[in-house]
Amino acid sequence: MRSGNAGAHNSGVSRIVIVGGGPGGYEAALVAAQHGASVTVIDRDGIGGSAVLTDCVPSKAMIAVTDVLGTVSDSSDLGITINNRPSADSHLGVDLGQVNARIRLMALAQSRDTRLRLERAGVHLLDGVGRLDGSGRVIATDPQSGRETAVSADTVLLATGARPRELSSAPVDGERILNWEQVYGLTETPEHLVVVGSGVTGAEFASAFRAMGSAVTLVSSRDQVLPGEDTDAAGVLEAAFARRGVSVLAKSRAKSVSRVGDQVIVELADGERIEATHCLMAVGSVPNTEGLGLETANVVTGPGGFIEVDGVSRTSAQTVYAAGDCTGVMMLASVAAMQGRIAMWHVLGQPVRPLELKQVSANIFTDPEIASVGYSQLEITSGAINAVGVTLPLRTNARAKMAGITDGFVKLFCRSGTRIVVGGVVVAPRASELIQSITLAVDQKLTVDQLAETFTVYPSLSGSIAEAARQLHQV
C-alpha cells in the first residue's frame, strides 16, 4: 500500500479520497472510516446524491402515495365504502404540490442525516467538484468561488453517478417537458402525461401518475413494456395498465417533443402526433464522467463513457476505483453501495468477495411491483443454465384472496440436478420485500428442499414461495 501524507505515513494510515457522495461514495466512506483510514469525500450535489435527492428516495415516496390511492380505489370488492359509496366509485384526489413539498423536505432530511453520520464517523467532507490530477491527487473546486484545493490520496474512489439522458429533439424545460428529476417541482397533477420510454423509470412513473388521476400515454419503442424483464411479469403489468386506462403505444418511437403554450406535441416516427399537457422523458442515463481528469490517471472508459471496473471495483489504474452509476454496472443504489464497500474492503486488505450480479435482487415499483433475482426465464429456456422452474399464481394464495389481490405470481428456478435455487421472480404488492428470501437462497446456494422446510406464516404471501419450492422438489 502506498504511503499517505506526512502524518498518515508515520502512522500507516491509508488516505482515501472519494469523489461523489451518493450511495457508492458514502457507503465506501463509512467502511473505510470503520477500518481506520483517513477519508475525504468531495461532493457537489449534496450527500446522498441523486439516489436520495432526485431519484430513488423521491420517486418511491411518490409511489408510496399512489400505493395508498390504489389500495383504496380497488377495495370496493372488500366492502369498503367512502361516504356510503363503493370505493371504486368515489373520487380520490391528490394534492401534488403538497406531495412534492413533503418529498423535497424528506429528501433533504435524509441527506442531512447521512451527512451527519459521515461526520460522526470522522469523514472529512469537502463541498465542491472533484477531478483527478494523476492517480494520487484530486483537485476539489469550489463551484461558488472557483477556489481549488489539492488533496493527496493513496486510493481514489470515483462515485459520480449519472444523469438523465436528454435529446436535442425533445428539449426539457422543467415545466411541461421534464426529465425524471424535475417531476418534484410540479404543483398540479398533469391532465395528460405522455411518458417516452417504457423501461423501469418510464413504467414506474406511468403507473404512479395514472393512480394520481392523470391520463397517461406510454410510448414504447419495443413490443412490450419493460423490455428485458421477465415476459410473464411484463404481461401482468401490461394487463394492469390496460385495465386502469394507461394507453401503451408499442413499437413506437418519439421523433420530437415540442411545447406550444401550455401544451406539448409529441411527434412519432410514423407521423402520428399526440397532444398532451406534459411529457416525461425516460430514455436512459448518461454517466457523469466528463471533466473528471480520467486521462491524467489512465482510467479507461467503455461504450457510453462509463468507467470500466472489475469485480472489486478497480479501474484500469491500480489506485483508482469506481462505484455506482458512473460504471454502468446494473444501475441500482444497492449495487452502487456494494461496489463502494467492496472497493474499500479490497483496498484495506479485508476479506472480500467480488461482485456477483446473479446475487443482486432488483425491484420495479409499479402496481403490482416486480422483483427478480438470479437467472431469468429466458436464460433457462435458451439453455444458458440447466434448470427447471415453477410458477404459482397469487390468486390461489389465501392471504391474496383476503386482500383482494388478483394480479401476480411467484416464479422459482432451481438447478435440475442439485436442486439449488438459482433465481426467481415475484409479481405482487410489496414484491420488494418478498424477494429477500429467494435472494438469500440464491446467495447461500440453498436447495429447494431447504427453502421448502423453512417455516412461513399462514396465511401470508411468502407462503407461495415455500409452496413453489415444495413443488420443485416433486419435479
Side-chain angles (χ1 to χ4, degrees), residues 392-417:
L392 294 182
L394 280 186
R395 63 176 178 271
T396 62
N397 178 286
R399 183 66 179 272
K401 291 176 182 176
M402 296 171 191
I405 298 170
T406 57
D407 293 331
F409 59 79
V410 168
K411 185 181 289 191
L412 192 65
F413 307 120
C414 72
R415 288 187 180 274
S416 298

Side-chain angles (χ1 to χ4, degrees), residues 71-90:
T71 298
V72 175
S73 62
D74 292 340
S75 60
S76 59
D77 289 344
L78 303 182
I80 295 176
T81 62
I82 300 176
N83 295 328
N84 297 319
R85 298 174 59 191
S87 59
D89 297 333
S90 301

Side-chain angles (χ1 to χ4, degrees), residues 117-133:
R117 186 180 175 196
L118 289 172
E119 291 173 343
R120 287 174 174 169
V123 176
H124 181 217
L125 301 175
L126 281 178
D127 296 325
V129 179
R131 75 176 189 276
L132 293 171
D133 184 22

Side-chain angles (χ1 to χ4, degrees), residues 122-431:
V123 176
H124 181 217
L125 301 175
L126 281 178
D127 296 325
V129 179
R131 75 176 189 276
L132 293 171
D133 184 22
S135 59
R137 195 167 80 147
V138 178
I139 305 297
T141 304
D142 187 307
Q144 302 298 325
S145 66
R147 178 186 176 186
E148 293 188 343
T149 302
V151 186
S152 297
D154 298 306
T155 303
V156 176
L157 175 72
L158 303 174
T160 51
R163 62 187 184 276
R165 180 176 173 230
E166 296 186 3
L167 306 178
S168 58
S169 58
V172 300
D173 59 17
E175 296 178 350
R176 297 284 172 173
I177 306 174
L178 311 108
N179 61 42
W180 64 78
E181 294 184 339
Q182 297 170 329
V183 298
Y184 311 107
L186 292 174
T187 57
E188 295 182 355
T189 304
E191 181 181 336
H192 180 189
L193 176 69
V194 175
V195 178
V196 178
S198 62
V200 173
T201 300
E204 287 184 347
F205 278 111
S207 181
F209 276 97
R210 183 67 193 110
M212 288 189 288
S214 297
V216 176
T217 300
L218 182 61
V219 178
S220 172
S221 63
R222 308 289 285 274
D223 56 358
Q224 75 167 40
V225 174
L226 299 174
E229 300 295 331
D230 184 270
T231 301
D232 294 333
V236 171
L237 182 60
E238 287 181 339
F241 275 176
R243 188 171 66 249
R244 292 168 184 150
V246 175
S247 176
V248 178
L249 303 182
K251 297 183 179 179
S252 298
R253 188 176 297 275
K255 179 181 179 182
S256 66
V257 182
S258 57
R259 178 174 175 177
V260 181
D262 289 339
Q263 298 289 307
V264 295
I265 306 297
V266 180
E267 184 176 352
L268 304 183
D270 63 5
E272 181 181 352
R273 289 161 57 93
I274 306 170
E275 295 185 10
T277 59
H278 296 76
C279 179
L280 173 63
M281 301 298 296
V283 289
S285 301
V286 177
N288 295 322
T289 53
E290 67 279 1
L292 269 180
L294 300 179
E295 66 284 350
T296 69
N298 297 316
V299 174
V300 173
T301 59
F306 293 96
I307 299 172
E308 294 187 346
V309 294
D310 61 15
V312 292
S313 307
R314 186 170 44 195
T315 71
S316 54
Q318 185 175 0
T319 60
V320 179
Y321 291 66
D325 288 358
C326 65
T327 70
V329 176
M330 207 168 185
M331 298 167 75
L332 300 170
S334 58
V335 172
M338 187 59 74
Q339 283 181 297
R341 296 186 200 108
I342 287 173
M344 294 302 99
W345 288 327
H346 187 259
V347 167
L348 298 171
Q350 300 298 312
V352 61
R353 184 171 62 172
L355 182 68
E356 175 52 67
L357 294 182
K358 289 302 181 186
Q359 296 168 353
V360 176
S361 55
N363 192 71
I364 302 169
F365 290 84
T366 47
D367 182 13
E369 292 182 8
I370 300 171
S372 59
V373 66
Y375 284 91
S376 68
Q377 178 75 66
L378 180 60
E379 289 173 309
I380 292 170
T381 302
S382 67
I385 181 174
N386 186 15
V388 293
V390 66
T391 302
L392 294 182
L394 280 186
R395 63 176 178 271
T396 62
N397 178 286
R399 183 66 179 272
K401 291 176 182 176
M402 296 171 191
I405 298 170
T406 57
D407 293 331
F409 59 79
V410 168
K411 185 181 289 191
L412 192 65
F413 307 120
C414 72
R415 288 187 180 274
S416 298
T418 62
R419 292 298 193 241
I420 291 174
V421 178
V422 294
V425 181
V426 178
V427 181
R430 303 291 188 271

